[in-house]
Amino acid sequence: MLKRVLIANRGEIAVRIIRACRELEIETVAVCSTADKDSLHCQLATRAVCIGGPRASESYLRRENILTAAVATGCDSIHPGYGFLSEDPGFAREAEEAGLIFIGPPPAVIERMGRKAQARALMMSCGVPVVPGSPGTVETAKEAEAIAGELGWPVLIKASAGGGGRGMRRADGPQQLAPAFEAARAEAESCFGDSTLYLEKLILRPKHVEFQILADSQGNVIHLGERDCSLQRRNQKLMEESPCKALSPALRREMGEAAVKAARAAGYRGAGTVEFVLDQAAGAYYFIEMNTRIQVEHPVTELRTGVDLVKEQLRVAAGLPLSARQEEVAFSGHVIECRVNAEDPAKNFLPCPGRVEFLHLPGGPGVRVDTMLYTGYTASPYYDPMVAKVIVQGATRLEAIRRMRRALEELMIRGFTTNQGLAYLILYHPDYMKGQYDTGFLEDHLEELLALEQKAGGIF
Ligand code: ADP
């Protein structure tokens, strides 16, 4: 097994990784910015090293500082978590060059799947369905217009290097194409330093369904079922669940097999996610991208399968085989995750971090909370506003919904505003309760839900 892991991250995911390491009796080295010195991950790790200033660009994105810390503290490996440097092939490569094991897929695989136009081509070549679109990259708006004309409107112009919904623009007709193309190109250039674009048909009212996969160095590749992540705002997921109500057993099997095929074609190793959009009306699914890291919503899969995904990552990095074969993966009950963000939905989701004056976390049967919060901790304005994840499991979807409601009723975060009330109201929405929601749900119902919350004078 690994002996000492440096965790190149912060917040709840750093805490999550430390927990897995401690159970495996692996030592941990936390890194932190000057703003994070009192953070939980630093307190729980075997030791902590300050690597720079509060801005991510001064600390969590400073590859050389992190690698120096890892070497100086005698680490044998680096876990990148999600975000920050987790999908940076250069970082993975430099870690390997410094003699460290990068806990993730090989750098070449990160690179291959990170270029989405290339990943699309790879999927096509191995028979995994992709969204109808351009055969490769698209150079000019004129070329894009011709392709869109053949595909049919509306279309999405996407950045090949894209992520987090950036560098992505919709065009409903020829008049919108040129401005959308230029906007996507400018955003792609400024966010990723890569203005390569490609085109996809916009699937109307799809569900976002993703499959968790695991692969080891021995050639075993398995999937651990799906997550329905359709509840999103501006491509930011808010609530996820598993199973996805829209999948028939046959479709689920087919998509799971496609995810495994995708991972094999990519030469994958470790934990990853294959994302699809599901055209519910047509019963068709299409690959959109592969994420080559652990994801925020991984606990949904952990509760449903009992597989500890972070421990599997550590096993695979140490050269051990996966602990389960495909036929040994058992799925039980229904799981829902709710992300709690320090933000005010009524003020256009303005981030509003602050000091935690009082904290009470929900517990009881079927409830898990992943968070870095404690009473007296000050959530920093420098980083992502997500401060906690509440995950519940029930025997049925209805029980999971009711359990999440009561977990949110118990959760008390005093000191700053969160989206807790909005999430609570979604759990009572008739369409959500029926499982009839797609990626447009939140945008469609936001006003109505916010009005309800306001009328109630706040829910919590
Ligand atoms: P990013 O990496 O920027 O998040 P994705 O390709 O994962 O980009 O897309 C983000 C979200 O946009 C998806 O979750 C899905 O809801 C939506 N999306 C992406 N491609 C399509 C498409 N072709 N049709 C409809 N929705 C799409």
Side-chain angles (χ1 to χ4, degrees):
M1 239 311 160
L2 306 173
K3 296 238 169 343
R4 192 177 295 160
V5 179
L6 181 132
I7 296 144
N9 216 298
R10 63 176 303 283
E12 69 84 23
I13 193 63
V15 172
R16 167 71 188 93
I17 297 161
I18 292 168
R19 285 177 173 152
C21 289
R22 287 175 69 149
E23 290 178 19
L24 292 169
E25 301 189 330
I26 298 171
E27 290 183 349
T28 51
V29 175
V31 291
C32 68
S33 69
T34 49
D36 270 343
K37 281 192 160 165
D38 297 326
S39 65
L40 190 58
H41 78 283
C42 290
Q43 295 173 48
L44 292 179
T46 315
R47 60 178 291 188
V49 180
C50 183
I51 50 163
R55 266 177 276 279
S57 59
E58 301 166 336
S59 48
Y60 299 105
L61 293 173
R62 276 276 168 103
R63 304 180 196 178
E64 64 284 8
N65 295 19
I66 295 168
L67 295 172
T68 305
V71 172
T73 56
C75 289
D76 52 22
S77 50
I78 295 196
H79 196 307
Y82 54 68
F84 295 129
L85 296 168
S86 61
E87 291 181 292
D88 180 338
F91 180 62
R93 209 165 272 136
E94 285 167 24
E96 291 186 352
E97 282 161 11
L100 298 155
I101 297 169
F102 180 79
I103 303 174
V109 176
I110 303 178
E111 196 155 40
R112 193 175 302 145
M113 300 318 276
R115 295 198 190 127
K116 294 186 183 184
Q118 222 175 306
R120 234 176 96 79
L122 181 68
M123 293 304 122
M124 282 191 271
S125 72
C126 73
V128 172
V130 300
V131 188
S134 56
T137 59
V138 177
E139 308 304 324
T140 62
K142 216 173 151 64
E143 189 188 335
E145 194 180 323
I147 296 171
E150 282 169 35
L151 290 173
W153 305 90
V155 295
L156 265 183
I157 300 148
K158 287 183 159 186
S160 187
R166 283 168 307 172
M168 198 159 95
R169 286 288 186 284
R170 171 184 176 151
D172 288 303
Q175 313 80 359
Q176 288 177 9
L177 196 109
F181 193 87
E182 291 316 320
R185 175 142 72 190
E187 197 168 273
E189 183 60 46
S190 76
C191 291
F192 314 109
D194 175 355
S195 60
T196 314
L197 300 176
Y198 66 104
L199 214 67
E200 274 181 5
K201 191 171 167 63
L202 182 81
I203 307 299
L204 295 171
R205 313 222 63 111
K207 264 191 181 286
H208 173 116
V209 182
E210 58 185 33
F211 276 73
Q212 177 70 51
I213 62 104
L214 280 174
D216 62 23
S217 316
Q218 286 74 18
N220 303 303
V221 185
I222 63 172
H223 76 80
L224 294 106
E226 81 276 16
R227 298 182 288 254
D228 181 341
C229 308
S230 307
L231 229 134
Q232 18 176 286
R233 180 182 163 269
R234 304 206 177 142
N235 300 314
Q236 297 295 321
K237 298 164 186 169
L238 178 65
M239 273 158 66
E240 303 95 345
E241 66 175 311
S242 183
C244 167
K245 242 190 138 216
L247 301 190
S248 66
L251 187 54
R252 178 172 296 115
R253 197 171 324 113
E254 195 183 323
M255 290 177 76
E257 283 165 9
V260 168
K261 204 194 278 182
R264 276 197 197 284
Y268 208 77
R269 187 179 71 209
T273 299
V274 183
E275 296 191 335
F276 299 101
V277 284
L278 177 73
D279 184 338
Q280 297 187 79
Y285 65 93
Y286 307 103
F287 170 91
I288 47 171
E289 68 165 341
M290 180 166 191
N291 293 321
T292 55
R293 53 172 161 81
I294 193 81
Q295 286 195 248
V296 173
E297 59 273 26
H298 76 275
V300 171
T301 301
E302 294 190 322
L303 287 199
R304 219 173 144 237
T305 60
V307 174
D308 185 317
L309 291 169
V310 179
K311 284 188 186 169
E312 292 301 318
Q313 287 188 297
L314 297 165
R315 283 179 64 89
V316 169
L320 297 170
L322 296 177
S323 63
R325 286 193 300 266
Q326 186 69 64
E327 58 276 17
E328 290 168 336
V329 180
F331 300 93
S332 73
H334 197 98
V335 181
I336 302 175
E337 173 180 86
C338 176
R339 302 185 186 198
V340 180
N341 299 328
E343 63 188 15
D344 188 349
K347 291 186 181 143
N348 197 25
F349 295 83
L350 182 76
C352 46
R355 187 173 184 275
V356 181
E357 302 300 342
F358 177 80
L359 178 71
H360 177 78
L361 300 179
V367 178
R368 163 174 167 181
V369 183
D370 281 18
T371 182
M372 74 297 215
L373 296 184
Y374 58 85
T375 300
Y377 171 79
T378 301
S380 170
Y382 290 102
Y383 314 108
D384 191 273
M386 194 182 75
V387 291
K389 306 186 301 207
V390 180
I391 312 104
V392 302
Q393 181 177 37
T396 61
R397 186 167 188 269
L398 183 59
E399 187 180 52
I401 290 175
R402 289 178 174 162
R403 188 159 275 165
M404 182 62 91
R405 290 176 187 161
R406 78 99 178 136
L408 292 181
E409 285 162 7
E410 286 178 31
L411 173 67
M412 264 190 251
I413 304 173
R414 298 281 178 264
F416 48 81
T417 307
T418 72
N419 60 348
Q420 191 180 340
L422 174 64
Y424 187 74
L425 289 172
I426 291 170
L427 294 164
Y428 279 96
H429 195 284
D431 292 343
Y432 179 80
M433 287 191 65
K434 282 183 257 171
Q436 286 170 4
Y437 64 92
D438 53 53
T439 55
F441 174 89
L442 202 52
E443 222 68 71
D444 289 352
H445 297 289
L446 192 57
E447 246 174 70
E448 153 200 350
L449 292 166
L450 291 178
L452 270 177
E453 191 171 8
Q454 199 184 18
K455 203 165 141 208
I459 303 290
F460 295 106

